[in-house]
Amino acid sequence: STDFVSNYTTISGSSCAASCGSSSDKASNVVVNVSPCTYDPSSPEPVTFTLSYQLNEVVTGGTSTIDLKWNGVTVTDKTVDLCIGGVLANDTAVPCPTPAAPYKGGSSDTITPPKGAPAGSYVGRQTWNDQNGDQILCLAYILSVKGEE
């Protein structure tokens, strides 16, 4: 298993992503997946992040915070509005305010790490908080980037 730094949860060896939420979160059945777990610049296969969840409240606003560390060093720690342009978390399939609860949501994003991204372990944590400041969900993931040959 891989240990997360500073209050990150532990993720089983077969996966490199997990929910780091608690039973008081406003979303349940949170499933997060990252594939592949290792990015190799010499044969660049894009990395896909998939997320599914059930909202147990109507979300009308809030914040999304992303904290990304590279080999333990903070690369980015930013907070943005959860609802921008009438959609939730930049996902055009999910309107904001969200439909009546319970509401099943999900998203899929594919990224290609920038050319020249330093090799090492990237540990990310993303939290969504609602209009009342309560946590909706928490996601944690690890991506390993291989050195260029």
Side-chain angles (χ1 to χ4, degrees):
S1 73
T2 309
D3 286 329
F4 273 74
V5 284
S6 68
N7 288 337
Y8 286 48
T9 185
T10 302
I11 290 179
S12 68
S14 61
S15 170
C16 48
S19 167
C20 46
S22 69
S23 59
S24 62
D25 282 6
K26 301 300 179 182
S28 56
N29 302 328
V30 176
V31 178
V32 59
N33 222 315
V34 175
S35 178
C37 292
T38 301
Y39 179 75
D40 183 353
S42 63
S43 59
E45 179 188 348
V47 179
T48 301
F49 295 82
T50 54
L51 168 66
S52 64
Y53 54 86
Q54 177 178 298
L55 281 177
N56 300 314
E57 70 169 359
V58 173
V59 175
T60 59
T63 57
S64 170
T65 301
I66 297 177
D67 173 26
L68 182 65
K69 289 179 170 35
W70 168 75
N71 290 348
V73 179
T74 299
V75 177
T76 183
D77 188 357
K78 67 177 183 179
T79 300
V80 296
D81 285 337
L82 190 56
C83 295
I84 298 176
V87 299
L88 186 73
N90 233 3
D91 182 357
T92 52
V94 183
C96 189
T98 58
Y103 173 75
K104 285 189 188 324
S107 63
S108 181
D109 272 323
T110 301
I111 63 154
T112 301
K115 202 160 173 49
S121 179
Y122 291 80
V123 177
R125 182 180 173 114
Q126 182 173 8
T127 51
W128 293 0
N129 290 325
D130 68 9
Q131 58 275 8
N132 305 313
D134 295 328
Q135 184 166 291
I136 299 170
L137 53 73
C138 174
L139 312 172
Y141 39 87
I142 301 174
L143 178 66
S144 296
V145 174
K146 288 185 172 176
E148 301 206 36
E149 300 295 313

